[in-house]
Amino acid sequence: MTRTLFTAAALVAGFLMPGAAQAQPADLVVINAKIATLDAAGTTAQALAVRDGRIVAVGNAAQMRALSGSATRAVDAGGRTVIPGLIDSHMHAVRAALSYSTEVNWIGASTIAEAMARIRTAAANARPGGWLIVAGGWTEQQFAERRRPTMAELQEAAPDHPVYVQLFYEAVVMTPKALEALGVPAGTLPAGMKPSPDGAPGWMTGDIVGISALFDKLPKPTYDDNVAGTRAFFTELNRLGITGLVDPGGFSIAPSQYAALFELWREKALTLRVAYSVFAQKPGAELQEFRDLTQMLPMGFGDDMLKFNGLGERVTLAMYNNNFPDEAVKAKFYELIKWAATKKLAVTIHWQENGSVDHLLGLYEKLNAEVPINGLRWSIAHLDDASPETLARMKALGIGWTMQDAMYFQGDRALAVRGDAARRMPPIGTALRAGVNVGAGTDAHRVASYNPFVALQWMLDGKTVSGKTMRGPDETPTREQALRLYTAGSAWFSFDEGRRGTLEVGKLADFAVLDQDFFTVPLERIGKTTSLMTVVGGRVVYAARPFEAAGTSVAVAP
Ligand SMILES: [Zn+2]
């Protein structure tokens, strides 16, 4: 098929002189763009060229001429902004993907009516009596009504289906049909759950262990659902400019459930790069579990599309978010991390509270004196209230911080509980000044939306989902800094900042052409940004108008 990609491709064709083509012309050139290379100097370029999955030139359209041949595909970006592909440094994406094709999501729904409309649509498309599951990723603060939906609303939207709705790891509502389907006797609650303190019919509360156990009783998607869901979810992330993930495992996902991911990798059908860690599954026997698993899975094993990235975010259940670990718990944890350090495994750990993080950092400091961990890219996830002292200790140990937009959803509560102290949550500015390696991300999809532009807007305006201003200017990055955290900053956590995260010669060709200029669009509109064309390793993995043709194998006529 020979046709030009875009009207402006005639311009490109004008300088694609076959006679002048080099022995190895570029596979793809992008011209007429505003390319935020995010190189050290912060250079903006107009054009780039890609060959064999890597960037071979960055500059202006004229410079791409010598690199273009008859088979080179040219994309005229129409003056649009191009950014390095975004990388979420802490997203439970492998798990989210498994059920993406079978769950209902409320991400971005701004009213209860809109949320109920999604339930209604899902009910219309579901098998008779099929479950409708909202597994998180929303908060009542996102709804204009500022409340949770009622059981009556859910039953009205889906009278013939069992409905399960989870709010973070705090609350669940199940319709009578859902309770009945799980065999919960009338008038009782599922194990581990308590009635909602506000007495709202059908709503109940529990903790992460209880709610995860309840969730695990729900019918599971089939393997084909897993594969379809993974494809669809990764494409959805590509639509938002994401080209890479660091995935920390999670509750409710066992090693056997990585099969869909591995299948897509084997078929070369992954549309984004995944670095995954293993989440301890065997409470009390974690060291043996990790020893067994990693005998055939050395640190970094895999390739640029999929690789093994060490342990976490649950390292031992006993230390998981434990603000009061006793000496026995700490000794057992120490034995495990010492083994991990000798094996040069990366370790990422979930820790919420600065008030208790000394338990963890004390062990890391002791270990570092015995077996150096600086250089192993260990990291702490969350820690939204990290103090300057904590960040300095992390910096000294070479421990990175994966920072998420938890306060977008949870900020109203943090403000109510902590008052002014919440204005430094999370301390992005302090971390940057301390020189800590910071990766951006979301922690999606149970506790947050996966939308990176919503997170970027929140990084910049510090506002919660309900519109309250929370984070102060001291802790607010610039647009360029925020973008660096979402690209090279996140790439650091899988040892990849030298390979991707910036648009420079020799780097992997991962980038997104945006529908609006991230750098100049009014702050309050950043969250609405989408990608019009997303490229991973030189391959167009997502394309929307006016770039749909770029997704097909179209050659520019010489
Ligand atoms: Zn976590």
Side-chain angles (χ1 to χ4, degrees), residues 90 92 313 320 350 381-382 443:
H90 191 91
H92 300 278
E313 66 175 307
Y320 184 85
H350 168 114
H382 317 311
D443 203 15

Side-chain angles (χ1 to χ4, degrees), residues 70-95:
S70 56
T72 301
R73 290 198 289 158
V75 170
D76 184 319
R80 291 182 182 84
T81 295
V82 174
I83 60 169
L86 300 173
I87 302 169
D88 190 312
S89 58
H90 191 91
M91 190 197 289
H92 300 278
V94 177
R95 183 182 67 193

Side-chain angles (χ1 to χ4, degrees), residues 377 394-395 398-402 431 435-439 485 489 492-493:
R377 309 272 168 115
M394 289 168 66
K395 166 71 180 167
I399 290 177
W401 179 40
T402 63
V436 174
N437 286 287
V438 182
L485 300 188
W492 182 87
F493 292 84

